[in-house]
Amino acid sequence: MRKLLLGTAALSLLTSAAWSDTFQATNWMAPAHILNEFPYQQFSKDVAKATDGALQFEVYSSGALVPAPTTMQAISDGVAQLGIVYPPYTPSELPLSNTVNDLAFVAKDDLAAAFAWTELGLTNPKLRAEWSKNGGVFVGGYSTPFYNFICMNEIVSPKDVAGKKVRVAGTAQTEWIQSLKGVPVSVPIADVYSGLERGSIDCTMSDATNLDKGNKFWEVAKTVNTLPMGVVVGATYVFNKDFWIGRTPEQRRILLDEVAVGLARSQVAYHVGVEAALKGSAERGLKVSEPTQEMKDALSAFQASVAKALPAKAVATRGIEDPTDVLNEFVTLEEKWRKLVADVDRTNPDAVAAILKTNLYDKIDPSTFGAD
């Protein structure tokens, strides 16, 4: 019965999309979340204005249309024409994307990582084929800020992690906590607040914006350690293939341009948000501490081991071809983007968007991209 109902709903939405210029965009995060407010709420307004109302997106937030784990399937089925996809929610469907996400644990610059991941997804044939196989067209991605320890008790050295239950988000984070003799726990981020409050988890690995934006961890957590434990990357904009192919080149050009602006705004909001969250946390009485040199050295050694072992491990556990070429390309692209954004004002979304458009999106041909 549930399958029948879902099929009916999908057919209804597909029919609606076929006869209307209003399309469905799904985002499992709250409207005020950085990855919703700028790349979805504002994006939908900007696209409508740029197309004189010819393209309009109705944004379903907080998983109102479909939950996070089924977003990729919903995009493929046409239940949504646009959605935000976090690859670890669909590891079997997006094994290569998840392997790149594992490598993001060794990223050196979150802004550069976001744009390196985006360029890789737009231009690498293997990644493009993976998204296409799943019924989607990847058009842009995000990187979180660096992950920190947000805890009930202070963590500054490796021994402080031993025995602690730490919420993680991904394979590399899981193995990092295990290397410190901690207990990795996988729970949705929406459950972290109550987990810290009840004591079912001792810490979460999260970017600092979760302290005050949406999740409000600073209401229950007592300490923050600023050890930069890599980032995670995801697909901010994945379009349904039929929807994308059905747009005119002129409409695709507008979408590409607005995607670039949306990505820049999101990354700037992350940058500004981290500074505000850490400052606000200290003002609220949370202890914001630096890691010991021992902890820094432990992280550096672990990151080196991740990069070295990842290709063979991905072949063995994810069942994919040797991804060394793709991973090397990500590293090369991150270095490229580190240089490109080295001097940009990271509080200025227009400046960041200009660099992203000039060096990437302006080079995408809207008449051919995603139309294969």
Coordinates of all heavy atoms in Angstrom, one line a residue, residues 75-158:
I75 N 14.6 12.4 -6.3 CA 15.1 13.2 -7.4 C 15.0 12.3 -8.7 O 14.5 12.8 -9.8 CB 16.5 13.7 -7.2 CG1 16.5 14.8 -6.1 CG2 17.0 14.4 -8.5 CD1 17.9 15.2 -5.6
S76 N 15.5 11.1 -8.6 CA 15.5 10.2 -9.7 C 14.1 9.9 -10.2 O 13.8 9.9 -11.4 CB 16.1 8.9 -9.3 OG 16.1 7.9 -10.4
D77 N 13.1 9.8 -9.3 CA 11.7 9.4 -9.6 C 10.9 10.7 -10.1 O 9.8 10.5 -10.6 CB 11.0 8.8 -8.4 CG 11.5 7.4 -8.1 OD1 12.2 6.8 -8.9 OD2 11.3 7.0 -6.9
G78 N 11.5 11.9 -9.9 CA 10.8 13.1 -10.3 C 9.8 13.6 -9.2 O 9.0 14.5 -9.5
V79 N 9.9 13.0 -8.0 CA 9.1 13.5 -6.9 C 9.6 14.9 -6.6 O 8.8 15.8 -6.2 CB 9.2 12.6 -5.7 CG1 8.5 13.2 -4.4 CG2 8.6 11.2 -6.0
A80 N 10.9 15.1 -6.7 CA 11.4 16.5 -6.6 C 12.3 16.7 -7.9 O 12.9 15.8 -8.4 CB 12.3 16.6 -5.4
Q81 N 12.3 17.9 -8.3 CA 13.2 18.3 -9.5 C 14.5 18.8 -9.0 O 15.5 18.9 -9.8 CB 12.5 19.3 -10.3 CG 11.4 18.8 -11.2 CD 10.2 18.4 -10.4 OE1 9.7 19.2 -9.6 NE2 9.7 17.2 -10.5
L82 N 14.7 19.1 -7.7 CA 15.9 19.6 -7.2 C 16.0 19.2 -5.7 O 15.0 19.2 -5.0 CB 15.9 21.1 -7.2 CG 17.1 21.9 -6.5 CD1 18.4 21.5 -7.1 CD2 16.9 23.4 -6.6
G83 N 17.2 18.8 -5.3 CA 17.4 18.4 -3.9 C 18.8 18.5 -3.4 O 19.7 18.5 -4.3
I84 N 19.0 18.5 -2.1 CA 20.4 18.5 -1.6 C 20.6 17.1 -1.1 O 19.8 16.4 -0.5 CB 20.5 19.5 -0.4 CG1 21.9 19.5 0.2 CG2 19.4 19.2 0.7 CD1 22.1 20.7 1.2
V85 N 21.8 16.5 -1.5 CA 22.1 15.1 -1.3 C 23.4 15.0 -0.5 O 24.4 15.6 -0.9 CB 22.2 14.4 -2.6 CG1 22.6 12.9 -2.4 CG2 20.9 14.4 -3.4
Y86 N 23.4 14.3 0.6 CA 24.6 14.0 1.4 C 24.9 12.5 1.1 O 24.2 11.6 1.5 CB 24.3 14.2 2.9 CG 25.5 13.9 3.7 CD1 26.8 14.5 3.4 CD2 25.5 13.1 4.8 CE1 27.9 14.3 4.2 CE2 26.6 12.9 5.6 CZ 27.8 13.4 5.3 OH 28.9 13.2 6.1
P87 N 26.0 12.3 0.3 CA 26.3 10.9 -0.2 C 26.3 9.8 0.9 O 25.9 8.7 0.6 CB 27.7 11.1 -0.8 CG 27.7 12.5 -1.3 CD 26.9 13.3 -0.2
P88 N 26.8 10.0 2.1 CA 26.8 8.9 3.1 C 25.4 8.4 3.4 O 25.3 7.3 3.9 CB 27.4 9.6 4.4 CG 28.3 10.6 3.8 CD 27.6 11.2 2.6
Y89 N 24.3 9.1 3.1 CA 23.0 8.6 3.3 C 22.6 7.5 2.2 O 21.7 6.7 2.4 CB 21.9 9.7 3.2 CG 21.9 10.6 4.4 CD1 21.8 11.9 4.3 CD2 21.8 10.0 5.7 CE1 21.8 12.7 5.5 CE2 21.8 10.8 6.8 CZ 21.7 12.2 6.7 OH 21.7 13.0 7.8
T90 N 23.4 7.5 1.1 CA 23.2 6.5 0.1 C 24.5 5.9 -0.4 O 24.9 6.1 -1.5 CB 22.4 7.1 -1.1 OG1 23.1 8.3 -1.5 CG2 21.0 7.5 -0.8
P91 N 25.2 5.2 0.5 CA 26.5 4.7 0.2 C 26.6 3.7 -0.9 O 27.6 3.8 -1.7 CB 27.0 4.1 1.5 CG 25.7 3.7 2.3 CD 24.7 4.8 1.9
S92 N 25.6 2.9 -1.1 CA 25.7 1.9 -2.2 C 25.4 2.5 -3.5 O 25.9 2.1 -4.5 CB 24.7 0.8 -1.9 OG 23.3 1.3 -1.8
E93 N 24.6 3.6 -3.6 CA 24.3 4.3 -4.8 C 25.4 5.2 -5.3 O 25.6 5.4 -6.4 CB 23.0 5.1 -4.7 CG 21.7 4.2 -4.6 CD 21.5 3.7 -3.2 OE1 22.3 4.0 -2.3 OE2 20.4 3.0 -3.0
L94 N 26.1 5.8 -4.3 CA 27.2 6.8 -4.6 C 28.5 6.5 -4.0 O 29.1 7.2 -3.2 CB 26.7 8.2 -4.1 CG 25.4 8.7 -4.7 CD1 24.9 9.9 -3.8 CD2 25.6 9.1 -6.1
P95 N 29.0 5.3 -4.3 CA 30.3 4.8 -3.7 C 31.5 5.7 -4.0 O 32.3 6.0 -3.1 CB 30.5 3.4 -4.2 CG 29.7 3.4 -5.5 CD 28.6 4.3 -5.3
L96 N 31.6 6.2 -5.2 CA 32.8 7.0 -5.5 C 32.7 8.4 -4.8 O 33.7 8.9 -4.3 CB 32.9 7.2 -7.0 CG 34.1 8.0 -7.6 CD1 35.4 7.3 -7.1 CD2 34.1 8.0 -9.1
S97 N 31.5 9.0 -4.8 CA 31.3 10.2 -4.1 C 31.6 10.1 -2.6 O 32.2 11.0 -2.0 CB 29.8 10.7 -4.3 OG 29.6 11.0 -5.6
N98 N 31.2 9.0 -2.0 CA 31.5 8.7 -0.6 C 33.0 8.6 -0.4 O 33.5 9.0 0.7 CB 30.8 7.5 -0.1 CG 29.4 7.8 0.3 OD1 29.2 8.4 1.4 ND2 28.4 7.5 -0.5
T99 N 33.7 8.0 -1.4 CA 35.2 7.9 -1.2 C 35.9 9.2 -1.2 O 36.8 9.5 -0.4 CB 35.7 7.0 -2.4 OG1 35.1 5.7 -2.3 CG2 37.2 6.8 -2.2
V100 N 35.4 10.1 -2.1 CA 35.9 11.5 -2.1 C 35.6 12.2 -0.7 O 36.4 12.9 -0.2 CB 35.3 12.3 -3.2 CG1 35.9 13.8 -3.2 CG2 35.7 11.7 -4.6
N101 N 34.4 11.9 -0.2 CA 34.0 12.5 1.1 C 35.0 12.0 2.2 O 35.3 12.7 3.1 CB 32.6 12.1 1.4 CG 31.9 13.1 2.4 OD1 32.5 14.1 2.7 ND2 30.8 12.7 2.9
D102 N 35.4 10.7 2.1 CA 36.4 10.2 3.1 C 37.7 11.0 3.0 O 38.3 11.3 4.0 CB 36.6 8.8 2.8 CG 35.5 7.8 3.2 OD1 34.6 8.3 4.0 OD2 35.4 6.7 2.7
L103 N 38.1 11.3 1.8 CA 39.3 12.1 1.6 C 39.2 13.5 2.1 O 40.2 14.1 2.5 CB 39.7 12.1 0.1 CG 41.1 12.7 -0.2 CD1 42.2 11.8 0.4 CD2 41.3 12.8 -1.7
A104 N 38.0 14.0 2.2 CA 37.8 15.4 2.7 C 38.2 15.5 4.1 O 38.4 16.7 4.6 CB 36.4 15.8 2.5
F105 N 38.4 14.4 4.8 CA 38.9 14.5 6.2 C 40.3 15.0 6.3 O 40.8 15.5 7.3 CB 38.9 13.0 6.8 CG 39.2 13.0 8.3 CD1 38.2 13.3 9.2 CD2 40.4 12.7 8.7 CE1 38.4 13.3 10.5 CE2 40.7 12.6 10.1 CZ 39.7 12.9 11.0
V106 N 41.1 15.0 5.1 CA 42.4 15.6 5.1 C 42.5 17.0 4.5 O 43.6 17.5 4.2 CB 43.4 14.6 4.4 CG1 43.3 13.2 5.0 CG2 43.2 14.6 2.9
A107 N 41.3 17.6 4.2 CA 41.3 18.9 3.5 C 42.0 19.9 4.4 O 42.0 19.9 5.6 CB 39.8 19.3 3.3
K108 N 42.6 20.9 3.7 CA 43.4 21.9 4.4 C 42.6 23.3 4.4 O 43.0 24.1 5.2 CB 44.7 22.1 3.7 CG 45.6 20.9 3.7 CD 46.9 21.1 2.9 CE 47.7 19.8 2.8 NZ 49.0 20.0 2.0
D109 N 41.6 23.4 3.6 CA 40.9 24.7 3.5 C 39.5 24.4 3.1 O 39.2 23.8 2.0 CB 41.6 25.6 2.4 CG 41.0 27.0 2.3 OD1 39.7 27.1 2.2 OD2 41.7 28.0 2.2
D110 N 38.5 24.8 3.9 CA 37.2 24.4 3.7 C 36.6 25.0 2.5 O 35.8 24.4 1.7 CB 36.3 24.6 4.9 CG 36.4 26.0 5.5 OD1 37.3 26.8 5.1 OD2 35.5 26.5 6.2
L111 N 36.9 26.3 2.2 CA 36.4 27.0 1.0 C 36.9 26.4 -0.2 O 36.2 26.1 -1.2 CB 36.7 28.5 1.1 CG 36.2 29.3 -0.1 CD1 34.7 29.3 -0.2 CD2 36.7 30.8 0.0
A112 N 38.2 26.1 -0.2 CA 38.9 25.4 -1.4 C 38.3 24.0 -1.6 O 38.1 23.6 -2.7 CB 40.4 25.4 -1.2
A113 N 38.1 23.3 -0.5 CA 37.5 22.0 -0.6 C 36.1 22.0 -1.2 O 35.8 21.1 -2.1 CB 37.4 21.3 0.8
A114 N 35.3 23.0 -0.9 CA 34.0 23.1 -1.5 C 34.0 23.3 -3.0 O 33.3 22.6 -3.7 CB 33.2 24.3 -0.8
F115 N 34.9 24.1 -3.4 CA 35.0 24.4 -4.8 C 35.8 23.4 -5.6 O 35.5 23.1 -6.8 CB 35.6 25.8 -5.1 CG 34.8 26.9 -4.5 CD1 35.3 28.2 -4.3 CD2 33.4 26.7 -4.1 CE1 34.5 29.2 -3.8 CE2 32.6 27.7 -3.6 CZ 33.2 29.0 -3.4
A116 N 36.7 22.7 -5.0 CA 37.4 21.5 -5.6 C 36.4 20.4 -5.8 O 36.4 19.8 -6.9 CB 38.5 21.1 -4.7
W117 N 35.6 20.1 -4.8 CA 34.6 19.1 -4.9 C 33.5 19.4 -6.0 O 33.1 18.6 -6.7 CB 33.9 18.9 -3.5 CG 32.6 18.3 -3.4 CD1 31.4 18.9 -3.0 CD2 32.2 16.9 -3.7 NE1 30.4 18.0 -3.0 CE2 30.8 16.8 -3.5 CE3 32.9 15.8 -4.2 CZ2 30.1 15.6 -3.7 CZ3 32.2 14.6 -4.4 CH2 30.9 14.5 -4.2
T118 N 33.2 20.7 -6.0 CA 32.2 21.2 -7.0 C 32.8 21.0 -8.4 O 32.1 20.5 -9.3 CB 31.8 22.6 -6.8 OG1 31.1 22.7 -5.6 CG2 31.0 23.2 -7.9
E119 N 34.0 21.4 -8.6 CA 34.6 21.3 -10.0 C 34.8 19.8 -10.3 O 34.5 19.4 -11.5 CB 36.0 22.0 -10.0 CG 36.6 21.9 -11.4 CD 37.8 22.8 -11.6 OE1 38.2 23.6 -10.7 OE2 38.5 22.6 -12.7
L120 N 35.1 19.0 -9.4 CA 35.3 17.6 -9.6 C 33.9 17.0 -10.1 O 33.9 16.2 -11.1 CB 35.8 16.9 -8.4 CG 36.3 15.4 -8.5 CD1 37.6 15.4 -9.3 CD2 36.5 14.8 -7.1
G121 N 32.9 17.3 -9.4 CA 31.6 16.8 -9.7 C 31.0 17.3 -11.0 O 30.3 16.6 -11.7
L122 N 31.4 18.5 -11.4 CA 31.0 19.1 -12.7 C 31.8 18.5 -13.9 O 31.2 18.5 -15.0 CB 31.1 20.6 -12.7 CG 30.1 21.4 -11.8 CD1 30.6 22.8 -11.7 CD2 28.7 21.3 -12.4
T123 N 33.0 18.1 -13.7 CA 33.9 17.8 -14.8 C 34.4 16.4 -14.9 O 34.8 16.0 -16.0 CB 35.1 18.8 -14.8 OG1 35.9 18.6 -13.6 CG2 34.6 20.3 -14.9
N124 N 34.5 15.7 -13.8 CA 35.1 14.4 -13.8 C 34.1 13.4 -14.4 O 33.0 13.2 -13.9 CB 35.5 13.9 -12.4 CG 36.2 12.6 -12.4 OD1 35.5 11.6 -12.3 ND2 37.5 12.6 -12.4
P125 N 34.5 12.7 -15.4 CA 33.5 11.8 -16.1 C 33.0 10.7 -15.2 O 31.8 10.3 -15.3 CB 34.4 11.2 -17.3 CG 35.4 12.2 -17.5 CD 35.8 12.8 -16.2
K126 N 33.8 10.1 -14.3 CA 33.4 9.0 -13.5 C 32.4 9.5 -12.4 O 31.4 8.8 -12.2 CB 34.6 8.4 -12.7 CG 35.6 7.7 -13.7 CD 36.7 7.1 -12.9 CE 37.7 6.4 -13.8 NZ 38.9 5.8 -13.1
L127 N 32.6 10.7 -11.9 CA 31.6 11.2 -10.9 C 30.3 11.6 -11.6 O 29.2 11.3 -11.1 CB 32.2 12.4 -10.1 CG 33.0 12.0 -8.9 CD1 33.6 13.3 -8.3 CD2 32.2 11.3 -7.9
R128 N 30.4 12.2 -12.8 CA 29.2 12.6 -13.5 C 28.4 11.4 -13.9 O 27.2 11.4 -13.8 CB 29.6 13.4 -14.8 CG 30.1 14.8 -14.5 CD 30.5 15.5 -15.8 NE 29.4 15.7 -16.7 CZ 29.4 16.3 -17.8 NH1 30.6 16.8 -18.3 NH2 28.3 16.4 -18.6
A129 N 29.1 10.3 -14.2 CA 28.4 9.1 -14.6 C 27.7 8.5 -13.4 O 26.6 7.9 -13.5 CB 29.4 8.1 -15.2
E130 N 28.3 8.6 -12.2 CA 27.7 8.0 -11.0 C 26.4 8.8 -10.7 O 25.4 8.1 -10.4 CB 28.7 8.1 -9.8 CG 28.1 7.5 -8.6 CD 29.1 7.5 -7.4 OE1 29.3 8.5 -6.8 OE2 29.7 6.4 -7.3
W131 N 26.4 10.1 -10.8 CA 25.2 10.9 -10.5 C 24.1 10.6 -11.6 O 22.9 10.4 -11.3 CB 25.5 12.4 -10.5 CG 26.3 12.8 -9.3 CD1 27.6 13.1 -9.2 CD2 25.8 12.9 -7.9 NE1 27.9 13.4 -7.9 CE2 26.8 13.3 -7.1 CE3 24.5 12.8 -7.4 CZ2 26.7 13.6 -5.8 CZ3 24.3 13.0 -6.0 CH2 25.4 13.4 -5.2
S132 N 24.6 10.5 -12.8 CA 23.6 10.2 -13.9 C 23.0 8.9 -13.8 O 21.8 8.7 -14.0 CB 24.4 10.3 -15.3 OG 23.5 10.1 -16.4
K133 N 23.8 7.9 -13.4 CA 23.2 6.5 -13.2 C 22.1 6.5 -12.1 O 21.2 5.7 -12.2 CB 24.4 5.6 -12.7 CG 23.9 4.2 -12.5 CD 25.1 3.3 -12.0 CE 24.7 1.9 -11.7 NZ 25.8 1.1 -11.2
N134 N 22.2 7.5 -11.2 CA 21.2 7.6 -10.1 C 20.1 8.6 -10.5 O 19.3 9.0 -9.6 CB 21.8 7.9 -8.8 CG 22.6 6.7 -8.2 OD1 22.0 5.9 -7.6 ND2 23.9 6.7 -8.4
G135 N 20.0 9.0 -11.7 CA 18.9 9.9 -12.2 C 19.1 11.3 -11.8 O 18.1 12.1 -11.9
G136 N 20.3 11.7 -11.5 CA 20.6 13.1 -11.2 C 21.6 13.8 -12.0 O 22.5 13.2 -12.6
V137 N 21.6 15.1 -11.9 CA 22.7 16.0 -12.5 C 23.3 16.8 -11.4 O 22.6 17.7 -10.8 CB 22.1 16.9 -13.6 CG1 23.3 17.7 -14.2 CG2 21.5 16.1 -14.7
F138 N 24.5 16.5 -11.0 CA 25.2 17.3 -10.0 C 25.6 18.6 -10.6 O 26.3 18.7 -11.6 CB 26.4 16.5 -9.5 CG 27.3 17.3 -8.6 CD1 27.3 17.1 -7.2 CD2 28.3 18.2 -9.1 CE1 28.1 17.7 -6.3 CE2 29.1 18.9 -8.2 CZ 29.0 18.6 -6.8
V139 N 25.2 19.7 -9.9 CA 25.5 21.1 -10.4 C 26.2 21.9 -9.4 O 26.7 23.0 -9.8 CB 24.2 21.8 -10.9 CG1 24.5 23.1 -11.5 CG2 23.4 20.9 -11.9
G140 N 26.4 21.4 -8.2 CA 27.2 22.2 -7.2 C 27.2 21.6 -5.9 O 26.2 20.9 -5.5
G141 N 28.3 21.8 -5.1 CA 28.4 21.2 -3.8 C 28.9 22.1 -2.8 O 29.4 23.2 -3.0
Y142 N 28.9 21.6 -1.5 CA 29.3 22.4 -0.4 C 30.4 21.7 0.4 O 30.5 20.4 0.3 CB 28.1 22.7 0.6 CG 27.5 21.4 1.3 CD1 28.1 21.0 2.5 CD2 26.5 20.7 0.7 CE1 27.6 19.9 3.1 CE2 26.0 19.6 1.3 CZ 26.5 19.2 2.5 OH 26.0 18.0 3.1
S143 N 31.0 22.4 1.2 CA 31.9 21.8 2.3 C 31.5 22.5 3.6 O 31.3 23.7 3.6 CB 33.4 22.1 2.0 OG 34.1 21.8 3.2
T144 N 31.4 21.7 4.6 CA 31.2 22.3 5.9 C 32.5 23.0 6.4 O 33.5 22.7 5.8 CB 30.9 21.2 7.0 OG1 32.0 20.3 7.1 CG2 29.7 20.4 6.6
P145 N 32.4 23.8 7.4 CA 33.7 24.2 8.0 C 34.3 23.0 8.7 O 33.7 22.0 8.8 CB 33.2 25.3 9.1 CG 31.8 25.7 8.6 CD 31.2 24.5 8.0
F146 N 35.5 23.3 9.2 CA 36.2 22.2 9.9 C 35.4 21.7 11.1 O 34.8 22.5 11.8 CB 37.6 22.6 10.3 CG 38.6 22.8 9.2 CD1 39.0 24.0 8.8 CD2 39.1 21.6 8.5 CE1 39.9 24.1 7.7 CE2 40.0 21.8 7.5 CZ 40.4 23.0 7.1
Y147 N 35.5 20.4 11.3 CA 34.8 19.8 12.4 C 35.6 19.9 13.7 O 36.8 19.9 13.6 CB 34.5 18.3 12.1 CG 33.2 18.0 11.4 CD1 32.8 18.8 10.3 CD2 32.3 17.1 11.9 CE1 31.6 18.5 9.7 CE2 31.1 16.8 11.3 CZ 30.7 17.6 10.2 OH 29.5 17.4 9.6
N148 N 34.9 20.2 14.8 CA 35.5 20.3 16.1 C 34.9 19.4 17.1 O 33.8 18.8 16.8 CB 35.4 21.7 16.6 CG 35.9 22.8 15.7 OD1 35.3 23.9 15.5 ND2 37.1 22.6 15.2
F149 N 35.5 19.2 18.2 CA 34.8 18.5 19.3 C 33.9 19.4 20.1 O 34.4 20.4 20.6 CB 35.9 17.9 20.3 CG 36.6 16.6 19.8 CD1 38.0 16.6 19.7 CD2 35.8 15.5 19.5 CE1 38.6 15.4 19.3 CE2 36.5 14.3 19.1 CZ 37.8 14.3 19.0
I150 N 32.7 19.1 20.2 CA 31.7 19.8 21.0 C 31.2 18.8 22.0 O 30.6 17.8 21.7 CB 30.5 20.4 20.1 CG1 31.1 21.3 19.1 CG2 29.5 21.1 21.0 CD1 30.0 21.8 18.1
C151 N 31.5 19.1 23.3 CA 31.4 18.0 24.3 C 30.8 18.5 25.6 O 30.7 19.7 25.9 CB 32.8 17.4 24.6 SG 33.7 16.8 23.2
M152 N 30.6 17.5 26.5 CA 30.1 17.8 27.8 C 31.3 18.0 28.8 O 31.2 18.7 29.7 CB 29.2 16.7 28.3 CG 28.0 16.5 27.5 SD 27.0 18.0 27.2 CE 26.3 18.3 28.9
N153 N 32.4 17.3 28.4 CA 33.6 17.4 29.2 C 34.8 17.8 28.3 O 34.8 17.4 27.1 CB 34.0 16.1 30.0 CG 32.9 15.8 31.0 OD1 32.7 16.5 32.0 ND2 32.2 14.7 30.8
E154 N 35.8 18.5 28.8 CA 36.8 19.0 27.9 C 37.7 17.9 27.3 O 38.0 16.9 28.0 CB 37.7 20.0 28.8 CG 38.7 20.7 27.9 CD 39.6 21.7 28.7 OE1 39.7 21.5 29.9 OE2 40.1 22.6 28.1
I155 N 38.0 18.1 26.0 CA 38.9 17.2 25.3 C 40.0 18.1 24.7 O 39.7 19.0 24.0 CB 38.1 16.5 24.2 CG1 37.3 15.3 24.8 CG2 39.1 15.9 23.2 CD1 36.6 14.5 23.8
V156 N 41.2 17.8 25.1 CA 42.3 18.5 24.5 C 43.4 17.6 24.0 O 44.2 17.9 23.2 CB 43.0 19.5 25.5 CG1 42.0 20.6 25.9 CG2 43.4 18.8 26.8
S157 N 43.5 16.3 24.6 CA 44.5 15.4 24.2 C 43.9 14.0 23.8 O 42.7 13.8 24.2 CB 45.5 15.2 25.4 OG 44.9 14.6 26.5
P158 N 44.7 13.2 23.2 CA 44.1 11.9 22.8 C 43.5 11.1 24.0 O 42.5 10.4 23.8 CB 45.3 11.1 22.2 CG 46.2 12.2 21.7 CD 46.0 13.4 22.7

